[in-house]
Amino acid sequence: MHLLINIIHTKIALKNKSSSGFTLLEILTVVMLIGILGAILAPSWLAFVDVQRLNTAQSEVYSAMRQAQGEAKKSKFTWQASFREKNGIVQWAVHPAIVNPSIANWNNLNSNVYLDSETTLQQSNSIRRIQFDYRGNIVGLPRRITLSSKYGGKAKRCVYISTILGAMRTAKERNKPKDGEYCY
C-alpha cells in the first residue's frame, strides 16, 4: 500500500510540473523574423559601409593634396600628388615633381574604392597627378579627382582644386547632373 501511495504522489507531482522550453513552431517563427529583418537591413548596412569607405578615401586624397601644396610652399620647389591604380587598388604618393613617381612612397586607399571616370587630373603613363608650384598654386587648370565604390551604388566623393591659387574643397554626389557630372 505504501508503494502505491508513492506512485500516485509521483504521478500527481509530474502532472503539476509544466514542461519548459519552446515549441518548434515558436523557434521557426523567431528564426523567420530574424531572417526577414536581416534581409531588410543588410542592403542599408552595406550602403552605409561603402559611404564610410568613400569618406575615408576622400579624406586621404584631400590630405595628400594639402600635403603636396604645403611641401611646395615650404621647400620652394614644385611638388605633386600622384594617383594610380595598381592591381585594382588606388594608390597615392606625395613627392617633388622632379622625382620619378615610380620610386615614390605609395600608399593604398581602401580596396573597394576606384577612380571614377569624372576624374580630370592630368594623366601620364597611367599616373594621374596634380602639381603645386613654389607658392602653392596649381600648375595647369583646376582639377578634380572623383572616387566611387567598386560595388556599385550612386555614392561618389570628389576633391576639387577649384582655383589657380590652389583652393581645395570636397563634394559628394548629387541627384541631378551638372554638365553631365553628378559630383560637383
Side-chain angles (χ1 to χ4, degrees):
M1 180 87 170
H2 187 57
L3 182 62
L4 187 58
I5 293 174
N6 281 342
I7 292 174
I8 293 172
H9 282 293
T10 305
K11 284 187 176 186
I12 292 172
L14 288 175
K15 280 186 179 181
N16 288 338
K17 267 191 167 180
S18 66
S19 64
S20 60
F22 298 104
T23 66
L24 180 60
L25 182 62
E26 291 170 331
I27 292 172
L28 289 176
T29 303
V30 169
V31 168
M32 189 172 66
L33 286 173
I34 290 171
I36 290 170
L37 287 173
I40 291 170
L41 296 176
S44 298
W45 175 255
L46 293 175
F48 171 77
V49 170
D50 274 347
V51 167
Q52 293 308 311
R53 287 178 183 146
L54 285 174
N55 288 341
T56 301
Q58 180 187 40
S59 294
E60 286 184 56
V61 167
Y62 183 83
S63 294
M65 290 182 174
R66 281 282 179 214
Q67 181 183 356
Q69 188 179 40
E71 291 294 331
K73 287 179 182 178
K74 187 168 70 173
S75 68
K76 302 295 183 198
F77 290 106
T78 301
W79 276 65
Q80 76 182 34
S82 299
F83 302 92
R84 70 180 181 188
E85 287 189 78
K86 187 172 184 179
N87 300 325
I89 297 175
V90 178
Q91 297 179 321
W92 61 270
V94 175
H95 54 89
I98 59 173
V99 171
N100 185 343
S102 63
I103 62 170
N105 183 24
W106 290 93
N107 302 281
N108 294 339
L109 293 180
N110 188 290
S111 61
N112 296 318
V113 173
Y114 75 95
L115 292 175
D116 193 88
S117 60
E118 292 183 14
T119 298
T120 61
L121 297 181
Q122 294 175 351
Q123 186 171 359
S124 174
N125 297 328
S126 72
I127 295 176
R128 297 176 185 267
R129 66 184 169 95
I130 185 78
Q131 291 184 339
F132 298 92
D133 67 14
Y134 68 96
R135 292 178 293 185
N137 297 340
I138 186 175
V139 176
L141 299 174
R143 304 282 182 222
R144 172 187 63 232
I145 186 167
T146 305
L147 306 167
S148 293
S149 173
K150 286 184 181 177
Y151 297 110
K154 295 180 182 179
K156 294 183 180 198
R157 295 295 182 264
C158 309
V159 178
Y160 279 92
I161 301 169
S162 51
T163 68
I164 196 86
L165 298 176
M168 289 183 222
R169 66 181 177 86
T170 59
K172 64 180 184 174
E173 78 285 345
R174 306 287 173 96
N175 292 331
K176 295 181 181 179
K178 180 180 178 184
D179 299 327
E181 297 167 349
Y182 286 89
C183 198
Y184 55 91

